[in-house]
Amino acid sequence: MTTTQQPGSLRRSVSNTLKGSAGNLVEWYDVYVYSVFASYFEFQFFDSEDKNSQIYIWAIFAVTFLMRPIGAWFFGRFADRHGRRLALTVSVSIMAGCSFIIALTPSAEVIGAGAAIILIMCRLVQGFATGGEYGTSATYMSEAAIRGRRGFLSSFHYVTLVGGHVLAQATLLVMVLAMPTEAISEWGWRIAFGIGGVAAIVVFYLRRTMDESLSESAIESVKDGTSRSSGSMKELILHQWRPLLLCFLITMGGTVAFYTYSVTGPGIVKKAFAGDDVVSGTILNLIALTVLMLLQPIGGWLSDIVGRKTLLVFFGAGGVLYTWFLLTYLPQQTNELAAFGILVGGFVILTGYTSINAVVKAELFPTHIRALGVGFGYAMANSLFGGTAPLLYTAAGEAQQVPLFIIYVTIAIAASLVVYVFFLNNKGVNWLDDEKAMRARDDERDGKREDREVAGIR
C-alpha cells in the first residue's frame, strides 16, 4: 500500500509549503510573462503589416495548452513512481531553459519565419512543463499540509500561481515607468523573459531541499516492481475514472472563469487605458491581481471551517450571475475606480474556486495515482476550456459576437455548478485525511458490484 510522508510539525509543513510555492511562483511567472508582454513583442515575431498578428500571438498562447495533458501524464506518472520533489525540480528546469531561448531569439526581421517557429516550439515545451507543474505541485502542497489546515496551506498553490501574474505585471509597470514603449517592444520584453530564467535557477536549488511527500516504501515498491499500478494510465482510466471525471468537471467551469476573469479581464483594462493612461491601467491591473492573490489564503482558511463545497457553490452561482456584467461593462469604463471595482468583484467570486481547487482534487485520488489523476484531469479541462478563452474572446470581439462568448463561459460555469451541488460532499472522509477508510469504502463498493454481477448471472 502506498502512503505519503506525514509532515512532522506545522513548522515543517509551512517550510515545505514555502519552498514548493517559490517554484510555483517562478514557473507561473514564465507562463504569464507571455500574456502580459504579448502586445509589445508580437511584431518581433510577426509582420507588423499583418492584421492577424494579434490572433497569431493568442493562438500560440492557446496551442501550448494542448501540451499540458502530455506533460501531466509524463510528470504525473514520474511523480507517482519516483517522488514529487524530483518531478518538480525537472519541470522548473525545463521552463528556465525555454525562457532563456525566447529572450535570445532574433526577431523576424533577422531570421524571418524562424522566429515564430522558435517561439512556438519553446511555448509548446513550456506547456509540457506546466502540465506537469500543476498536478505535481498541487499534490505536493496538499500532502505537505497538516490535517485541519490543508485548505489554508494548499491555497498558497494559487497564491503563487496568481503571484506569477502579479510579478509579470509588476515587471511591465517598472518598464513602463522607466522606458518608452518603443524600447519595451524592441528589447525590454527580452529582459522580462530572462528574469524568469534566472529565477528558475534559484528555485532549482530550493526544490532540492524540500522534504519528499511520497514515502520511501512507496518509491521502493516501484523500483522492485511490486507496485505496478503507481502512476499507471491504465489504473487511472479503468479504476479511477470516477474521480478523474469529477476532476475534469470541477476544473471545467473554474478554468474558463479563471482565464476570462484574470487574463481577459486585465487585458480589457489595459486596452481601455491604452492611450495616455497606460500607466494607470497597468497599476490598476497590478493592484487588482494583488488583491486576488491575497484573497487565496482567506478562501483556503474558510474552507477548513465551512467546507470545500460551500466555496465552490459560491463561485459557481456567482460566476453564472456575474460573467455577463463583467464582460459587458468592464470594456465601457473610463473611470479607474469603477474598472477596479468590477474587476475585483469578479476576483472575489473566482476565489471560491481558485483558493481550494488544488486540495479538492487531491482529496479525490489515492496516493499511488494522485499526481497523475490531478494533473491529467486538470490539464484536459484546462486545454479545452482555459487556454482557449483569451483567443475565443479576441476572435468574438473582432466578429462583434462577444455575447456568444459570454453565453459559452456562463454555460461552462453552470455545468460545473451542477457537479459542485450534486456530486461533492462538504465534509467527510477523503483520500488525503483517511486513506484506510477510503480503501474500505471502495472495497465494499467493489464487493457489492461483484455480488450484483453474480446475482445477474444466476
Side-chain angles (χ1 to χ4, degrees):
M1 180 185 297
T2 56
T3 57
T4 55
Q5 300 271 28
Q6 296 302 311
S9 65
L10 177 59
R11 182 177 180 180
R12 196 66 190 170
S13 181
V14 170
S15 174
N16 287 323
T17 297
L18 292 176
K19 291 175 182 177
S21 297
N24 208 41
L25 176 68
V26 171
E27 192 138 356
W28 286 98
Y29 168 87
D30 285 336
V31 171
Y32 286 115
V33 75
Y34 181 96
S35 62
V36 170
F37 282 85
S39 61
Y40 291 94
F41 65 71
E42 66 177 88
F43 297 132
Q44 295 290 321
F45 294 94
F46 297 101
D47 187 347
S48 60
E49 300 298 322
D50 192 336
K51 63 180 181 179
N52 293 318
S53 60
Q54 187 180 39
I55 293 290
Y56 297 153
I57 281 291
W58 287 111
I60 293 174
F61 181 81
V63 79
T64 59
F65 284 73
L66 299 178
M67 293 296 293
R68 290 196 180 187
I70 301 174
W73 164 76
F74 178 85
F75 283 101
R77 175 178 171 80
F78 190 93
D80 284 330
R81 295 176 65 82
H82 305 290
R84 321 314 192 190
R85 182 177 61 189
L86 183 57
L88 288 170
T89 303
V90 172
S91 70
V92 78
S93 302
I94 292 174
M95 290 294 289
C98 290
S99 289
F100 278 130
I101 293 173
I102 293 174
L104 297 173
T105 299
S107 68
E109 288 186 1
V110 178
I111 60 172
I117 293 172
I118 292 173
L119 178 64
I120 293 169
M121 294 303 296
C122 284
R123 291 297 294 177
L124 287 173
V125 174
Q126 286 188 319
F128 171 78
T130 305
E133 171 71 19
Y134 177 90
T136 308
S137 63
T139 295
Y140 178 82
M141 294 176 71
S142 298
E143 292 174 346
I146 62 173
R147 184 172 182 171
R149 299 189 183 179
R150 292 194 195 276
F152 173 74
L153 291 173
S154 66
S155 71
F156 283 86
H157 182 256
Y158 255 78
V159 168
T160 49
L161 192 153
V162 177
H165 200 171
V166 170
L167 279 182
Q169 289 283 354
T171 303
L172 175 61
L173 177 60
V174 170
M175 290 187 182
V176 167
L177 293 173
M179 62 181 72
T181 301
E182 293 76 14
I184 300 175
S185 297
E186 283 294 324
W187 53 269
W189 64 272
R190 296 182 186 275
I191 295 176
F193 278 96
I195 289 171
V198 172
I201 295 174
V202 176
V203 168
F204 173 84
Y205 289 100
L206 275 178
R207 281 189 161 174
R208 293 179 64 188
T209 65
M210 296 190 310
D211 292 333
E212 174 55 59
S213 64
L214 193 63
S215 68
E216 292 183 9
S217 61
I219 297 173
E220 286 300 321
S221 66
V222 171
K223 291 180 178 179
D224 62 26
T226 58
S227 179
R228 297 184 178 181
S229 62
S230 293
S232 165
M233 184 61 76
K234 180 179 179 181
E235 166 75 5
L236 182 64
I237 300 299
L238 293 182
H239 300 122
Q240 302 297 331
W241 63 269
R242 291 182 185 84
L244 178 63
L245 180 60
L246 267 180
C247 183
F248 177 89
L249 295 174
I250 288 169
T251 304
M252 179 176 65
T255 193
V256 74
F258 179 76
Y259 282 93
T260 299
Y261 287 27
S262 73
V263 175
T264 298
I268 292 172
V269 170
K270 185 165 67 173
K271 185 176 181 179
F273 296 92
D276 296 333
D277 292 325
V278 62
V279 174
S280 298
T282 304
I283 292 175
L284 191 156
N285 281 334
L286 179 60
I287 296 174
L289 286 167
T290 301
V291 171
L292 175 60
M293 181 178 69
L294 296 177
L295 283 171
Q296 303 311 299
I298 298 174
W301 170 73
L302 281 174
S303 78
D304 287 329
I305 299 173
V306 303
R308 324 287 190 218
K309 178 177 179 177
T310 302
L311 265 72
L312 287 173
V313 171
F314 164 76
F315 154 70
V320 167
L321 297 173
Y322 197 78
T323 300
W324 173 83
F325 178 77
L326 175 78
L327 295 178
T328 300
Y329 287 97
L330 186 59
Q332 300 176 13
Q333 300 309 309
T334 56
N335 179 273
E336 291 91 340
L337 189 59
F340 177 81
I342 292 173
L343 197 57
V344 169
F347 288 171
V348 171
I349 293 169
L350 187 62
T351 298
Y353 168 79
T354 55
S355 62
I356 59 169
N357 82 98
V359 69
V360 166
K361 295 164 194 172
E363 288 174 343
L364 294 174
F365 295 94
T367 306
H368 71 285
I369 203 72
R370 184 172 295 138
L372 177 60
V374 172
F376 192 74
Y378 160 82
M380 289 299 294
N382 189 240
S383 299
L384 294 172
F385 297 97
T388 56
L391 173 64
L392 291 176
Y393 177 80
T394 301
E398 293 195 359
Q400 304 296 313
Q401 294 294 333
V402 171
L404 290 180
F405 178 78
I406 293 173
I407 293 170
Y408 160 71
V409 173
T410 302
I411 289 175
I413 297 174
S416 286
L417 176 59
V418 172
V419 174
Y420 305 152
V421 172
F422 294 106
F423 296 96
L424 295 181
N425 297 319
N426 206 34
K427 292 185 178 180
V429 296
N430 59 72
W431 282 104
L432 275 175
D433 291 335
D434 200 338
E435 189 166 342
K436 184 177 180 180
M438 292 297 290
R439 288 192 180 279
R441 185 204 67 178
D442 282 2
D443 289 343
E444 180 181 1
R445 183 184 63 197
D446 292 342
K448 289 180 179 179
R449 184 189 301 117
E450 291 177 1
D451 290 343
R452 288 195 297 270
E453 290 175 353
V454 171
I457 293 173
R458 289 176 179 174

